[in-house]
Amino acid sequence: MSVGALEGALARPEEKYRICGDTGLRVYAKAETLIKVNAVAAVVFLAVGGLFGLLVALTRWPAVHILPAEWFYTALTAHGAAVLLFWIIFFEMAILYFASAILLNCRLAAPKFAWLGFILMIVGSLMATVAVLQGESSVMFTSYVPMKAAPHFYLGIILFAVGALLGCMVFFGTLVIAKEEKTYEGSVPLVTFGAITAAIIAVFTIASGAIILVPTFLWSIGYISHIDTVMYKLVWWAMGHSSQQINVSAHVAVWYAIAALVLGAKPLSEKVSRTAFLLYILFLQLASAHHLLAEPGISSEWKVFNTSYAIYLAVLGSMIHGMSLPGAIEAAQRRRGFNKGVFGWLRQAPWGNPAFSGMFMSLVMFGFLGGISGVVLGTEQINLLMHNTLYVPGHFHATVVAGTTLAFMAVTYLVVPLIFRRELILPAVARWQPYIFGIGVAGISLFMMGAGTLGVSRRHWDITFSDSVFTFDYPGTAFLMMGLNGISAVLAAVGGLMYVVVVVGSILFGKVRDEAAIKANPIVAPGNAVSTYGGEGTLKLPGTIVLVTVFFLAFVLYYFINWKFLSEVWPLS
Amino acid sequence: MASSESQDGGSQATEGGGARPDRVPAMQRLLDNPFLLLFLGVVMPTVFYLIWGIMEIIQIPIAK
Ligand code: HEM
Ligand SMILES: [Cu+2]
């Protein structure tokens, strides 16, 4: 390729940018605006979807039982779509633009396409939300055929996905421009690498979504007469599960970003962390098969290969991040002089900074609650104990809420001052928010898992079976669990509301963060760890080793207990 | 310790002198190539999850 021609085509010296007073990075106006609009759309959907989540939880609390049966399924569908699709994916678009344009000091490729993508996502998300609220599309998150939703439900989701795909293309395009224009040296920073992982998984996710949702849309308008239910499940989960792996990759990248920005933490080893992301790219999406473990028509070879042999390599990737992150934090803290004892670095961490506290809680809860329960659910044999019980939502609220959502909330406390350039209003509310939300979410995941262990079904309106022909008596503890779940849901909803108030309030009414404010209240640790390549290169990390050991013991013990349960389901004697 | 990490991967320019990019280790070249990674990340699940899975489902006998 002729360098001159390329320069001519790519160089746009006139494009407007500023130099960030906090990080020294070059921030192009177009990228910045796109980050803002995507983040705002995300937060709006979180607020709406969170409200529906609260209503669902209050309905499942037998003593409250707030919604009638039909509304329950409508609310449940609205909840799943608004939070798991719209909140998370709008936010991920913002992350992709941040990790490419901002961290690489580069202008965004084809901002017009990015806008087109955004508009498609807005139109699609509104269309699907309207379809759900009209009440004829209460097919829940999975929309399994032969349940049929209104055509504009499927069409909305398809438009949304096309928009997201455009966003991914802009992201990859920006990587190319940054490389051509040499806006960074050597390898991309680790956070960008994590975003690359997320975007790669997104491409497979969206392609699978198109393969299954386009025919389903045609079926809903009568062009196709039949869709095979098992085939639907297989391809749908290539989308439904893989999209959760976009979330994992994105929130791990966010963890690294927060640790780097707040503490100046570098990964323990760039190579090891990147290899862990590579394991995600290669193996994580195969885990989609854990949604078909109870399907009789498919062989154990397929199930076991995809959910065990291969996926344990991806779990290994998560464990590497799970050790690397606290390790990086410990190393950075010790470097900063917090060297006392085994856990002095942790005690002296900035627990009053919601970006840090949210990130650390996200890390711990994702690992202990989400990770361990996920491996248990993903094992063919013990999956049978919990299949389609509330244990499943218990597990994924630990991953996508305690893990992804809390991580995204935490990073918002940096995005508001750095990108929106506003000081946070109500700092005391912000300080408490991650704790209130975190405790609430830990509650909903644990109590739903508890109820699931006692056999309570997911997506079930009334566990008292008051008006049904066939009844079933759940143990009293199941009712207790549902009550505790309701209380935790209220707490989580309060935490969510605190987040929305602080973020929206700061964007609208916060003090503008000017030069003086940056000097008076620095929020980024010196050294620019977030946008450079390089690891800590130390393994003297006694605290992290203790934490990791505790994790492994909990893991092994809990895994064993479930096999013990299984052995009691069908007594052999 | 800290410097060894940044040396061996930090920037190709310092390590290979920029003149011999072929000295970049294979693994690093893979990790530095998002489009190769994209290819792998799409092919793996397409083959092991989708294609193999579809073959299994097609083989389920139709009820009479
Ligand atoms: C205030 C916070 C939240 C509360 C109280 C809450 C509560 C609940 C409850 C009680 C269920 C129903 C379980 C069942 O009956 O099967 C549910 C389902 C679900 N939640 Fe949440 N949730 C919250 C936040 C979130 C967030 C932030 C996400 C995603 C990022 C999420 C994703 C989902 C999904 C995907 C479902 C399954 C929907 C379905 O079965 O179709 N939730 N949630
Ligand atoms: Cu899954």
Side-chain angles (χ1 to χ4, degrees):
Chain A
M1 213 182 295
S2 124
V3 178
L6 201 75
E7 300 266 270
L10 291 173
R12 303 253 175 75
E14 76 276 17
E15 214 175 296
K16 238 176 68 194
Y17 66 85
R18 66 179 172 90
I19 298 294
C20 173
D22 286 279
T23 59
L25 289 168
R26 202 187 288 179
V27 180
Y28 283 88
K30 286 179 181 163
E32 190 171 50
T33 313
L34 276 154
I35 292 173
K36 286 183 187 170
V37 291
N38 278 285
V40 168
V43 172
V44 170
F45 275 108
L46 178 66
V48 174
L51 183 64
F52 281 114
L54 178 64
L55 289 174
V56 169
L58 291 180
T59 307
R60 296 221 54 171
W61 182 352
V64 179
H65 212 223
I66 193 167
L67 296 179
E70 278 168 32
W71 291 17
F72 173 75
Y73 290 101
T74 301
L76 185 53
T77 310
H79 171 58
V83 278
L84 196 59
L85 285 177
F86 307 147
W87 141 250
I88 284 200
I89 297 179
F90 273 118
F91 204 92
E92 280 163 353
M93 289 299 131
I95 292 176
L96 288 186
Y97 298 148
F98 175 81
S100 55
I102 310 277
L103 289 186
L104 298 180
N105 265 309
C106 181
R107 70 192 165 81
L108 202 63
K112 290 213 174 83
F113 271 97
W115 275 105
L116 178 63
F118 176 72
I119 290 165
L120 283 172
M121 287 171 72
I122 289 285
V123 171
S125 53
L126 290 178
M127 196 185 270
T129 308
V130 167
V132 171
L133 296 182
Q134 284 169 330
E136 298 301 311
S137 304
S138 301
V139 291
M140 293 173 285
F141 186 67
T142 39
S143 58
Y144 282 158
V145 300
M147 274 195 295
K148 198 184 271 179
H152 54 300
F153 172 79
Y154 303 110
L155 189 61
I157 293 182
I158 292 169
L159 292 180
F160 181 80
V162 172
L165 188 62
L166 285 180
C168 293
M169 283 158 56
V170 170
F171 170 79
F172 282 112
T174 307
L175 296 182
V176 173
I177 295 187
K179 192 163 192 129
E180 297 291 351
E181 294 181 357
K182 299 202 171 53
T183 61
Y184 66 97
E185 265 179 40
S187 305
V188 296
L190 183 63
V191 174
T192 307
F193 194 78
I196 292 177
T197 307
I200 289 174
I201 300 178
V203 170
F204 175 75
T205 303
I206 296 171
S208 309
I211 298 176
I212 197 62
L213 286 178
V214 171
T216 310
F217 166 67
L218 295 176
W219 167 75
S220 75
I221 57 175
Y223 270 113
I224 290 182
S225 62
H226 173 75
I227 294 194
D228 182 78
T229 53
V230 185
M231 204 65 100
Y232 178 93
K233 280 187 171 180
L234 178 89
V235 185
W236 192 89
W237 278 114
M239 168 184 75
H241 179 79
S242 302
S243 66
Q244 307 324 309
Q245 316 303 29
I246 309 173
N247 303 342
V248 173
S249 313
H251 79 224
V252 172
V254 163
W255 290 342
Y256 281 113
I258 294 176
L261 285 168
V262 174
L263 299 172
K266 299 180 208 149
L268 292 181
S269 153
E270 286 275 2
K271 278 185 211 161
V272 171
S273 289
R274 274 164 214 255
T275 307
F277 276 123
L278 178 65
L279 290 172
Y280 280 2
I281 294 174
L282 295 177
F283 301 112
L284 205 44
Q285 303 161 79
L286 305 183
S288 307
H290 60 215
H291 296 276
L292 288 93
L293 285 175
E295 219 53 54
I298 306 176
S299 74
S300 276
E301 285 84 355
W302 180 85
K303 290 176 186 167
V304 171
F305 176 82
N306 281 291
T307 62
S308 296
Y309 295 135
I311 194 57
Y312 292 151
L313 293 170
V315 171
L316 177 68
S318 282
M319 295 211 194
I320 293 174
H321 291 307
M323 149 133 200
S324 181
L325 261 146
I329 294 167
E330 176 169 1
Q333 285 285 84
R334 289 188 187 277
R335 191 155 37 75
R336 284 155 46 112
F338 301 111
N339 240 326
K340 230 169 117 204
V342 178
F343 282 119
W345 59 277
L346 195 56
R347 268 196 305 275
Q348 309 271 3
W351 294 105
N353 179 343
F356 177 83
S357 62
M359 178 272 277
F360 205 84
M361 279 191 283
S362 161
L363 170 67
V364 170
M365 293 201 276
F366 179 76
F368 277 87
L369 301 181
I372 295 181
S373 63
V375 169
V376 165
L377 273 176
T379 305
E380 187 182 7
Q381 297 88 334
I382 42 186
N383 171 276
L384 283 180
L385 292 169
M386 275 82 80
H387 183 73
N388 269 352
T389 66
L390 264 184
Y391 192 95
V392 177
H395 152 71
F396 68 66
H397 281 74
T399 57
V400 291
V401 193
T404 311
T405 300
L406 191 50
F408 288 2
M409 285 175 164
V411 80
T412 316
Y413 293 117
L414 297 174
V415 169
V416 169
L418 295 179
I419 299 287
F420 287 88
R421 281 181 283 162
R422 299 285 182 149
E423 297 284 326
L424 294 178
I425 62 160
L426 306 174
V429 178
R431 196 171 317 128
W432 282 100
Q433 187 275 329
Y435 296 100
I436 309 272
F437 186 75
I439 293 170
V441 173
I444 56 177
S445 8
L446 281 169
F447 297 127
M448 282 201 268
M449 285 196 245
T453 308
L454 298 167
V456 178
S457 310
R458 68 182 292 195
R459 300 172 161 174
H460 193 239
W461 174 65
D462 176 22
I463 65 168
T464 64
F465 293 89
S466 52
D467 60 353
S468 42
V469 183
F470 302 103
T471 61
F472 181 81
D473 281 325
Y474 280 114
T477 30
F479 285 82
L480 177 66
M481 290 290 160
M482 297 316 287
L484 291 171
N485 179 54
I487 294 170
S488 309
V490 173
L491 205 59
V494 170
L497 185 67
M498 288 162 76
Y499 168 78
V500 174
V501 167
V502 171
V503 172
V504 175
S506 304
I507 292 173
L508 294 179
F509 310 114
K511 223 175 101 244
V512 173
R513 189 171 162 81
D514 50 20
E515 293 288 316
I518 293 174
K519 282 225 177 65
N521 173 25
I523 52 170
V524 174
N528 251 337
V530 72
S531 60
T532 47
Y533 185 104
E536 294 277 357
T538 171
L539 280 174
K540 275 197 221 99
L541 306 162
T544 300
I545 291 171
V546 173
L547 289 179
V548 170
T549 311
V550 171
F551 175 82
F552 270 110
L553 289 178
F555 190 173
V556 170
L557 195 66
Y558 185 68
Y559 192 72
F560 171 77
I561 288 175
N562 276 286
W563 283 94
K564 181 94 174 56
F565 276 157
L566 183 67
S567 72
E568 286 160 5
V569 175
W570 293 293
L572 292 176
S573 57
Chain B
M1 264 307 262
S3 62
S4 79
E5 175 72 30
S6 48
Q7 254 174 29
D8 56 26
S11 82
Q12 296 114 299
T14 49
E15 200 192 304
R20 289 157 64 189
D22 49 348
R23 286 254 336 266
V24 178
M27 187 67 172
Q28 190 182 343
R29 257 186 306 187
L30 168 66
L31 293 178
D32 280 344
N33 186 341
F35 295 100
L36 187 53
L37 294 172
L38 173 64
F39 175 76
L40 292 174
V42 172
V43 166
M44 283 289 291
T46 303
V47 171
F48 289 109
Y49 176 83
L50 275 180
I51 297 183
W52 182 5
I54 289 171
M55 278 163 46
E56 296 248 334
I57 294 173
I58 289 173
Q59 281 169 18
I60 302 174
I62 310 263
K64 297 216 178 73

